[in-house]
Amino acid sequence: TKLNDGAKFCHECGAKVPVRNPPPVAAAPPAPVVKKKFSPKPPSTAPPRNISKFKASKKIAGNTTGDGMSLPSFRGTTTSIIERKKVVRNPGWVPPVKKEAKSGSAVSMLMGHESWAFYNLKLVCKASGKGVAALKNALPMDKPGFVHFRIDAENVGNTGTGIITTANIILQWKGPNATTMSKVKCNGALQSALNKLQPNKGYIEVLGIKNLSTHSVFDRWRPGSGSKVIQD
């Protein structure tokens, strides 16, 4: 049999007696630790990165005390928000102003006695002039419209001799050959004519040109006149 190290000899026969519990073998000493010498890393030659445009406008939510005891919390918050410039398109844009119909374009032409301007139902000036004779030639027989007519009269309402009263009067023209529907539309546009053809001192209705004159216009318009219609 193979005997372990440390066996003893028998005192009678001289044979080796194995040892049942041999002494533990001593462990080899640990190898010495060799420390490496520190060598500094050479500086980088790459250009620095420009991170200014990525700068966050808000700080990251979490532990900002630096005590090392609490963990940061990101529940319900974002880690960072990048600032972006707001681009305003057409900063000088102004909503366009709705243009009115050119209803008063000929009002400034009423500069003297018997000056006039004729308008259609949309209050667009179609003709202008001076004198009743020229007005009769300009009035359409088959279409309605409005005439802005000026008269200069003396002693209106017994104001006195030599006192001149200037009045712009609306003549609601209804041509004798105009259709019934167009005459109805003319009645509907009367209030717009009174509002837009300024200044004016009321209106009279004209149904024909036979009795149309400056005297008849003044007679129907003057204070105390019963009838407001000039007809053939």
Side-chain angles (χ1 to χ4, degrees):
T1 60
K2 185 177 180 180
L3 301 178
N4 295 329
D5 294 338
K8 297 182 179 180
F9 292 96
C10 180
H11 64 280
E12 294 181 355
C13 62
K16 261 187 177 183
V17 178
V19 179
R20 294 183 179 179
N21 294 325
V25 180
V33 179
V34 179
K35 294 183 178 181
K36 295 182 178 180
K37 294 182 179 180
F38 174 77
S39 58
K41 188 177 181 180
S44 176
T45 58
R49 296 178 61 186
N50 184 13
I51 61 173
S52 60
K53 60 182 179 179
F54 301 106
K55 186 182 295 184
S57 60
K58 293 184 179 180
K59 295 181 179 180
I60 298 175
N63 179 25
T64 58
T65 59
D67 55 3
M69 299 300 293
S70 58
L71 295 176
S73 174
F74 298 95
R75 180 179 298 175
T77 60
T78 57
T79 57
S80 62
I81 299 177
I82 306 300
E83 286 185 350
R84 293 183 176 89
K85 295 182 179 180
K86 294 183 179 180
V87 179
V88 180
R89 296 183 178 180
N90 298 330
W93 181 81
V94 178
V97 180
K98 185 178 180 181
K99 295 183 179 180
E100 296 287 342
K102 296 181 180 179
S103 58
S105 59
V107 175
S108 59
M109 299 180 184
L110 305 182
M111 300 301 294
H113 181 58
E114 292 187 352
S115 58
W116 55 268
F118 175 73
Y119 297 83
N120 61 9
L121 296 184
K122 294 183 179 180
L123 300 181
V124 177
C125 183
K126 293 297 184 179
S128 61
K130 192 172 183 178
V132 177
L135 174 60
K136 290 181 178 181
N137 293 330
L139 291 175
M141 295 293 104
D142 57 346
K143 294 180 181 180
F146 301 96
V147 179
H148 205 192
F149 189 78
R150 173 173 170 170
I151 59 174
D152 296 335
E154 182 182 3
N155 194 20
V156 177
N158 297 323
T159 57
T161 304
I163 298 178
I164 305 300
T165 300
T166 299
N168 293 337
I169 305 170
I170 303 297
L171 306 182
Q172 186 184 21
W173 167 251
K174 295 179 180 179
N177 298 332
T179 62
T180 304
M181 182 58 67
S182 63
K183 292 180 180 180
V184 172
K185 291 181 179 180
C186 184
N187 291 334
L190 176 60
Q191 189 59 46
S192 297
L194 292 172
N195 294 338
K196 294 183 178 181
L197 300 182
Q198 294 288 342
N200 67 77
K201 294 186 177 181
Y203 79 99
I204 60 176
E205 186 177 4
V206 180
L207 304 180
I209 63 174
K210 182 178 180 180
N211 295 323
L212 178 61
S213 64
T214 304
H215 175 74
S216 63
V217 171
F218 174 75
D219 184 68
R220 297 297 187 273
W221 169 78
R222 65 179 174 82
S225 174
S227 175
K228 297 296 181 183
V229 180
I230 298 176
Q231 57 185 351
D232 295 342

